[in-house]
Amino acid sequence: RTRTYLVPTFTRKSSATQFLSQMINLRGLIVSGASLLSLVVTAPTAFVSAQFVQDHQHTYFDPIEYHFSSQALTVVPPPEGGELNEYAFVANMKPQDILDRQFTRPLIVKLKPNMPADKAFDFNWGKTYYFADEMGGSATQTHLYARDIHHVDFGDGNAGYIICGKVTNGKVLQTDAGSFLLLTDLDGNSKKFMVYSGVKELNSVVPTKGDMNSQGFVAVGTHTKQQGKREYDTAAYLSVDIDLSPICNSVTEGKWPNTVNSVVPTSSTFKKVIQHGQDNFAMVGHSTKNPTSCKRRDTDILVSVKSQKCSTIASFHYGRGTSSDAYNEEFGMSLGEYKLGSGKGLVITGRVKQTKLSCTDSFNPTYEDGFIMRLNNALNLKYFQRFD
């Protein structure tokens, strides 16, 4: 079933672009060293696929013990002489042969086309990664959690895949150690690897294109800031060149009515970024006002459009406010252009949740559903529908 929010109860609010859209230093953005730049590739020794032909599905699993967690899929244009697209996805796994299943690493799986029917999405290859000094069996105690993958082809022999994610350290108690970008060739072999200690996580990445942009990538995620005695998250935007060296970075927060001259704690993140038109990038996530308050907490969809050089073209957030008896929270998760390649209008999906307002008890949500919304060229709301 579908339910539609009436526009008067679902409003657009301007984000705090004016004080957090400029480029800032994210506390020692780059951390790199010989070991970080010498990722080695190993093909999982116990990788098996099982096929269900009638549904054009594959299940990929470890026959000894399940340790895979799929994250994202990318379309791969057909090879020379081919007609059908191929596919690749990234997952997280705990390799047995090198790390004895103690530490998480990305796994890239390359799939063949979804035809013919008896070989749909057939397995091509799968590769995971470890550091050069782990070849002797001693792990670095570094976890690399992949979040997104995108096919890359700049048309000059630089085809491959770009992966983004989160870095943590520690065998049992893990501590945040920043985010990472990993660039591979078309065979999954590591070309460039960089860790960004000032960015808590990178959730989505795309290669750049357009007449005004140089070759590189933009990625979005989360940066942690100190506010008083507490730490809060801000939505992070990172632009890098083809060698993964930073061009610029910025952070964005939400801003609510009646908070212009007051300091209100907020927690924000970006979940997905896409190329928007020829030269810009659109991203979506969410922003929470008073995240630790039992009476004033409010979460909205956060949308922003930026350039490769980190200038903000537009930023808004959208949602229903917390009412007298319920939290009304909206979380943006993914987006696409209304007309592909036009830079005109956006379609956004995510989840919406309503929970009874209470400072003493924990309640199950009144509802927790998916939604789809459309924004016009000026990022004004065209429609919003909830699906339960």
Side-chain angles (χ1 to χ4, degrees), residues 196-350:
Y196 308 91
S197 64
V199 183
K200 179 180 177 181
E201 60 186 359
L202 289 174
N203 296 318
S204 181
V205 61
V206 291
T208 61
K209 63 179 181 180
D211 297 333
M212 302 297 294
N213 295 331
S214 59
Q215 290 184 1
F217 308 92
V218 297
V220 298
T222 311
H223 163 64
T224 300
K225 68 170 184 177
Q226 192 77 29
Q227 187 168 322
K229 296 182 179 181
R230 293 181 179 270
E231 288 188 340
Y232 293 95
D233 291 337
T234 58
Y237 178 81
L238 173 66
S239 176
V240 302
D241 62 20
I242 191 64
D243 292 319
L244 307 186
S245 297
I247 296 173
C248 60
N249 53 86
S250 68
V251 292
T252 305
E253 290 185 310
K255 181 162 227 157
W256 277 258
N258 305 320
T259 63
V260 175
N261 297 318
S262 60
V263 178
V264 176
T266 61
S267 180
S268 308
T269 185
F270 286 133
K271 292 294 187 181
K272 183 68 175 179
V273 63
I274 61 170
Q275 181 95 25
H276 188 46
Q278 288 299 308
D279 298 302
N280 295 323
F281 303 89
M283 58 219 69
V284 69
H286 58 266
S287 185
T288 301
K289 176 184 70 170
N290 293 307
T292 61
S293 172
C294 63
K295 292 184 178 181
R296 299 185 300 275
R297 187 178 79 238
D298 188 14
T299 301
D300 284 350
I301 303 154
L302 180 64
V303 177
S304 189
V305 178
K306 301 180 186 293
S307 71
Q308 185 185 25
K309 295 183 179 180
C310 297
S311 62
T312 299
I313 289 89
S315 270
F316 300 99
H317 57 104
Y318 307 78
R320 300 172 64 190
T322 295
S323 60
S324 60
D325 61 351
Y327 302 114
N328 298 300
E329 300 178 286
E330 299 84 18
F331 304 85
M333 303 300 293
S334 190
L335 79 167
E337 289 185 300
Y338 181 65
K339 293 183 179 180
L340 188 63
S342 68
K344 297 180 179 179
L346 294 170
V347 177
I348 295 170
T349 60

Side-chain angles (χ1 to χ4, degrees), residues 4-12 301 316-320 346 348 371-385:
T4 304
Y5 282 129
L6 297 177
V7 173
T9 66
F10 193 82
T11 58
R12 181 180 83 165
I301 303 154
F316 300 99
H317 57 104
Y318 307 78
R320 300 172 64 190
L346 294 170
I348 295 170
F371 74 80
I372 184 170
M373 63 183 284
R374 179 186 163 194
L375 306 178
N376 65 13
N377 298 352
L379 300 187
N380 292 315
L381 183 67
K382 292 285 288 185
Y383 63 75
F384 182 98
Q385 288 187 323

